[in-house]
Amino acid sequence: MQPKENTSRSDAARDIAELSEQIRAHDALYYQKDAPIISDAEYDALRRRLEQLEAAHPDLIKPDSPTQKVGAAPVETFSKVKHSTPMLSLNNAFSEEEVREWDARVRKFLNLQDQERVLYVCEQKIDGLSFSARYESGNLVLGLTRGDGEFGENVTKNLATVLPQSLKGNFPAILEVRGEVYMTHEGFRELNAEREKVGEALFANARNAAAGSLRQLDSKITAQRPLRYFVYGWGELSHDYRMGKYHGSFIADAYNWGFKYVPEYPNKQLVGAFIEDILKYYQKMLNDRDDIKHDIDGLVYKVSDLAWRERLGTVARAPRWAIAHKFPAEQAITTVEGIDIQVGRTGALTPVARLAPVNVGGVVVSNATLHNEDEIARKDIRVGDTVVIQRAGDVIPQVVEVKKDKRPAHSQAYEFPKTCPACGSHAEREEGEVARRCTGGLICPAQRVERLRHFVSRNAMDIEGLGDVIIETLFDKGLLKDPSSIFHLHGLVAEVKAALAQRRRELAEARAKAKGKEYEAKKTKDSDTLIQNLLASIEDKRTVGLARLIYALGIRHIGEETARLLAKHYHNFHDWREAMTNTLQGDGDAAHELEAIDGIGPTVVATLKGFFAEPHNGKLLDVLAKELTIMPYEQSAASGSPVAGKTVVFTGTLPTLGRNEAKAQADALGAKVADAVSKKTDYLVAGEAAGSKLKAAQALGITILNEEEWLKLIGR
């Protein structure tokens, strides 16, 4: 049916609205219920009519139009989009004691009296894939996976098959909901049964099935999968939304806008309970775990009062106001077929048990960490032993105990190696350390490879395409020597191509031999595309933030949070490097400044000195400084505060603020929090019983504030 050439704008708007509604209804019947009521030809005619009307009146095209959503051609890949507000992860607790300790930390941070209790929200921790969905004027415009918390994959078209595409009621102009996409046990079984019928590979568990479904390149496939979702929180909200006092008020609003509750919401026990009540509920859910219709690996507890949440804030990549209470790990019995030694980027020798493959909680496990030589000796783990294993936190396999009554005759205790298996260097164990370390340094190939792996990892430089096999291949061929050589690969395309082709052949030959077959050379897809994508990914990462780069260097004891502290304090690469060099050369002021950073202890100072004392590390930094654009540390939006960039020290007991809350408050406002007074200190905030820090500040003429003056300064 062709639209009339003289169709008025008002008639076109009416027809577009009616056609869109019809097509959405048919989409739901076809994709979600598998019960179409019209033929493909009739459906295609409706879509063509809509497309023609929109082509004639492009100003009438809406973001939720069927032509802009499900049914479009599959995307070739998922782009990465930055979250408007970081999508944080959660810290874990594995026992009631750890949960009570978290509750005590929350009360201490808020400076509550012993008799004052905190009201918590309790939610199931469903095992699925987290998402963030952005709505503008009530229409779904963007859907992202969690990704690394800063950037997520753009899966808008796929999420549109699961979430409401438009909202109802009095919704905010801008609304970001955070939630989880998952699959029930029944849906998972049905999906695998269908895949088995057509000879497709089966999914290992419901979580993998849900994640794989949401990452389909064709949204039609996603629409056919039995996916469910629930909303548990929010990201960006426009100012026209008046948030209630408690978490439950937002969840109730979300339900009224058309979203689904987390299972068992609303329930007074879950949306507002004290620590004793939620621990009782945990036991109930643990006992009922097998009867729940979907996979859960624990519960999530959140402070319900939103004003208290704001005060608590975040630390590293997790909020202080929430914690995940994990269920005990599932266990299985298997045998130890061997013990291998892995060498890490810092030289630590880590023993790993090679196991007879066994299914643990839906995942086939063939390796388990043995931690260190003391752990092997304490549990007396030997090759040939029958052992109980579990996935700690349902993630990392570990050996729980040895069934010594099943130990083979002539079994011998395991002797931990005193030399590095990768380079033959002596492996030392320093006093007070549990790990034995290779002394070979960068002559050790294992350390160099692990250093490269760390450098390109997601939370470091995040260079896609440089997986373990490619890194090992290029390292073996001398094409990758240290992190800086990654940025020289664009001049070695022919060599890279040849190396990867040879490795591909070797792997194919090994697979054929394992199956007892003769290797037959087959025509494989040319590696040009792979190499082009790899080089493009490397080029894309030539601009990097200072905190990421410091973490990527793999300096011992420098994790993400410590890297952030260093980047925040020194702000740019030049100043950080100059300060570290000065500290190494005995500059007392530089050393004192480093030691005074809140969260930087003597161990970190010692490892930084050790790193900068090595000439090869200086050469590495020289090359990286030339190859990369290293961005200064970016403070949050609060950087416009009166204390942004100022160095603040807290001492004594403050009347209302807990010490940790005061430090977190200053940090959130862009201040540099230090533990010791120095010439660079701008403010000392002093409470009762202030001691030597107060005297030092007075001697140096530093501005001294009490709590009231501090709160007035920051506008609280």
Side-chain angles (χ1 to χ4, degrees):
M1 182 187 299
Q2 296 291 331
K4 298 177 182 179
E5 290 184 2
N6 61 350
T7 302
S8 68
R9 189 177 185 281
S10 59
D11 289 342
R14 183 197 63 227
D15 291 345
I16 286 173
E18 290 177 358
L19 283 166
S20 297
E21 185 175 350
Q22 289 179 50
I23 292 170
R24 288 193 199 100
H26 290 305
D27 281 344
L29 288 168
Y30 182 85
Y31 293 123
Q32 297 173 7
K33 298 183 180 180
D34 198 24
I37 59 175
I38 62 174
S39 68
D40 288 350
E42 290 172 303
Y43 176 85
D44 291 340
L46 291 175
R47 284 195 72 95
R48 282 199 302 272
R49 173 75 192 283
L50 177 60
E51 289 165 359
Q52 289 162 354
L53 283 169
E54 289 183 342
H57 302 275
D59 59 314
L60 295 179
I61 301 175
K62 293 186 176 181
D64 65 336
S65 169
T67 64
Q68 308 299 306
K69 295 293 180 181
V70 183
V75 294
E76 292 182 0
T77 186
F78 296 121
S79 60
K80 286 191 175 182
V81 179
K82 188 172 184 177
H83 291 292
S84 59
T85 58
M87 202 167 173
L88 303 173
S89 55
L90 293 173
N91 290 325
N92 295 324
F94 297 98
S95 67
E96 179 176 319
E97 181 183 7
E98 289 178 331
V99 173
R100 290 189 181 279
E101 289 173 354
W102 168 72
D103 172 62
R105 289 196 302 272
V106 167
R107 288 187 289 106
K108 181 179 180 181
F109 191 99
L110 295 172
N111 210 24
L112 302 179
Q113 300 300 316
D114 290 341
Q115 68 274 16
E116 294 182 271
R117 297 194 296 175
V118 178
L119 201 63
Y120 293 108
V121 176
C122 181
E123 296 171 348
Q124 294 180 20
K125 190 176 185 302
I126 296 182
D127 204 8
L129 186 71
S130 296
F131 70 85
S132 177
R134 183 181 181 90
Y135 290 78
E136 295 179 0
S137 300
N139 297 310
L140 177 64
V141 297
L142 182 65
L144 303 176
T145 62
R146 181 195 299 277
D148 64 0
E150 182 180 6
F151 289 88
E153 294 171 311
N154 186 342
V155 291
T156 307
K157 295 195 176 196
N158 294 345
L159 269 178
T161 70
V162 185
L163 302 177
Q165 295 189 44
S166 57
L167 305 180
K168 59 185 180 180
N170 188 23
F171 45 77
I174 296 176
L175 166 68
E176 281 187 357
V177 293
R178 303 279 169 83
E180 195 90 358
V181 170
Y182 66 101
M183 198 174 286
T184 64
H185 295 153
E186 182 181 3
F188 171 63
R189 286 192 295 269
E190 290 176 353
L191 176 61
N192 261 354
E194 291 174 2
R195 294 175 69 84
E196 189 173 21
K197 286 180 184 177
V198 296
E200 293 182 338
L202 304 185
F203 287 110
N205 52 56
R207 195 270 172 198
N208 288 355
S213 299
L214 199 59
R215 290 196 174 100
Q216 288 294 319
L217 296 180
D218 187 349
S219 57
K220 290 180 181 178
I221 297 176
T222 305
Q224 294 168 351
R225 299 284 173 82
L227 296 175
R228 297 192 180 187
Y229 79 93
F230 69 92
V231 167
Y232 56 70
W234 59 92
E236 182 180 357
L237 297 168
S238 53
H239 294 301
D240 59 323
Y241 176 59
R242 297 188 63 181
M243 180 76 78
K245 183 178 180 181
Y246 297 105
H247 174 91
S249 61
F250 175 84
I251 298 298
D253 287 342
Y255 178 78
N256 292 331
W257 297 328
F259 295 107
K260 294 183 179 179
Y261 282 130
V262 60
E264 299 206 20
Y265 256 133
N267 181 316
K268 289 182 180 179
Q269 182 184 14
L270 303 183
V271 299
F274 296 118
I275 192 71
E276 295 81 7
D277 298 318
I278 62 175
L279 288 173
K280 289 178 183 176
Y281 182 69
Y282 173 88
Q283 288 301 322
K284 176 182 181 299
M285 293 299 291
L286 182 58
N287 294 335
D288 297 343
R289 184 180 185 182
D290 292 339
D291 299 325
I292 299 172
K293 297 179 179 180
H294 45 261
D295 288 338
I296 68 172
D297 55 4
L299 299 178
V300 176
Y301 310 143
K302 305 174 182 177
V303 173
S304 183
D305 189 305
L306 301 185
W308 280 0
R309 280 194 196 180
E310 185 176 358
R311 286 175 59 186
L312 286 160
T314 63
V315 58
R317 303 173 66 84
R320 291 186 182 89
W321 46 263
I323 199 166
H325 189 182
K326 305 296 286 291
F327 287 151
E330 295 189 50
Q331 297 183 339
I333 296 178
T334 186
T335 56
V336 178
E337 296 182 337
I339 296 177
D340 297 333
I341 300 294
Q342 295 180 348
V343 184
R345 60 183 168 84
T346 63
L349 273 56
T350 302
V352 176
R354 279 191 288 107
L355 307 170
V358 63
N359 191 299
V360 186
V363 176
V364 176
V365 171
S366 57
N367 295 295
T369 179
L370 299 178
H371 301 292
N372 52 62
E373 60 185 299
D374 286 351
E375 186 76 355
I376 293 178
R378 184 177 70 82
K379 293 180 179 177
D380 190 18
I381 300 170
R382 306 181 184 185
V383 174
D385 277 346
T386 298
V387 294
V388 178
I389 65 164
Q390 70 179 22
R391 290 168 61 215
D394 283 348
V395 178
I396 305 170
Q398 62 182 10
V399 174
V400 179
E401 65 171 311
V402 176
K403 298 289 185 181
K404 294 185 178 179
D405 58 324
K406 296 184 178 182
R407 174 169 284 169
H410 311 298
S411 172
Q412 294 184 346
Y414 179 76
E415 186 176 347
F416 204 89
K418 302 299 189 293
T419 58
C420 174
C423 70
S425 298
H426 180 62
E428 287 186 352
R429 182 174 176 180
E430 296 179 8
E431 187 176 350
E433 291 254 337
V434 295
R436 188 174 293 275
R437 296 180 187 277
C438 166
T439 58
L442 290 185
I443 70 164
C444 176
Q447 290 188 55
R448 291 167 67 189
V449 168
E450 287 301 319
R451 189 177 184 184
L452 286 165
R453 285 175 175 163
H454 175 78
F455 187 80
V456 305
S457 63
R458 170 169 284 189
N459 295 333
M461 292 296 292
D462 191 23
I463 299 177
E464 294 182 356
L466 268 178
D468 290 353
V469 172
I470 292 180
I471 287 177
E472 290 171 7
T473 300
L474 299 183
F475 179 83
D476 291 343
K477 296 297 182 182
L479 302 176
L480 278 184
K481 299 177 181 178
D482 61 39
S484 67
S485 60
I486 292 171
F487 300 98
H488 298 156
L489 290 178
H490 60 278
L492 301 169
V493 174
E495 292 89 339
V496 171
K497 183 177 178 180
L500 296 182
Q502 182 180 345
R503 176 56 64 93
R504 201 162 45 228
R505 177 186 173 88
E506 290 171 352
L507 291 174
E509 289 177 343
R511 283 194 296 268
K513 184 177 180 181
K515 295 178 180 179
K517 298 180 179 180
E518 289 288 331
Y519 168 71
E520 294 182 9
K522 295 181 180 180
K523 188 174 181 179
T524 58
K525 186 177 179 181
D526 195 275
S527 59
D528 285 350
T529 300
L530 182 150
I531 295 171
Q532 289 170 5
N533 290 341
L534 171 59
L535 295 178
S537 180
I538 292 171
E539 291 303 308
D540 187 49
K541 300 302 180 180
R542 284 186 181 272
T543 298
V544 63
L546 176 58
R548 269 187 181 268
L549 178 63
I550 294 175
Y551 174 67
L553 293 173
I555 306 171
R556 192 177 167 202
H557 301 304
I558 307 294
E560 290 179 74
E561 177 61 12
T562 303
R564 187 192 71 85
L565 291 174
L566 292 168
K568 179 181 178 182
H569 187 86
Y570 294 106
H571 186 61
N572 62 65
F573 177 76
H574 175 270
D575 288 354
W576 172 66
R577 187 175 181 184
E578 182 179 53
M580 298 305 99
T581 302
N582 290 342
T583 299
L584 177 65
Q585 294 174 348
D587 185 322
D589 289 341
H592 186 61
E593 181 183 356
L594 174 61
E595 294 163 357
I597 299 173
D598 186 40
I600 301 294
T603 300
V604 172
V605 173
T607 56
L608 282 169
K609 286 182 177 179
F611 179 84
F612 279 89
E614 294 288 346
H616 57 79
N617 288 330
K619 292 177 181 178
L620 170 65
L621 293 177
D622 287 339
V623 177
L624 291 176
K626 292 178 182 177
E627 295 288 344
L628 303 176
T629 300
I630 305 169
M631 302 300 292
Y633 179 79
E634 288 186 16
Q635 186 57 43
S636 64
S639 59
S641 75
V643 294
K646 304 293 185 181
T647 300
V648 183
V649 176
F650 294 90
T651 187
T653 304
L654 302 176
T656 63
L657 292 174
R659 180 79 66 84
N660 289 337
E661 180 179 2
K663 288 181 176 181
Q665 188 181 70
D667 181 79
L669 291 170
K672 303 173 184 178
V673 180
D675 268 342
V677 173
S678 71
K679 295 176 182 178
K680 293 192 175 183
T681 303
D682 295 290
Y683 299 106
L684 176 76
V685 182
E688 293 183 12
S692 59
K693 293 179 184 177
L694 177 59
K695 293 180 181 179
Q698 290 170 336
L700 292 170
I702 291 166
T703 302
I704 299 170
L705 306 174
N706 58 31
E707 184 187 281
E708 183 180 355
E709 291 168 331
W710 164 253
L711 293 174
K712 183 178 179 180
L713 173 65
I714 64 175
R716 296 293 173 93

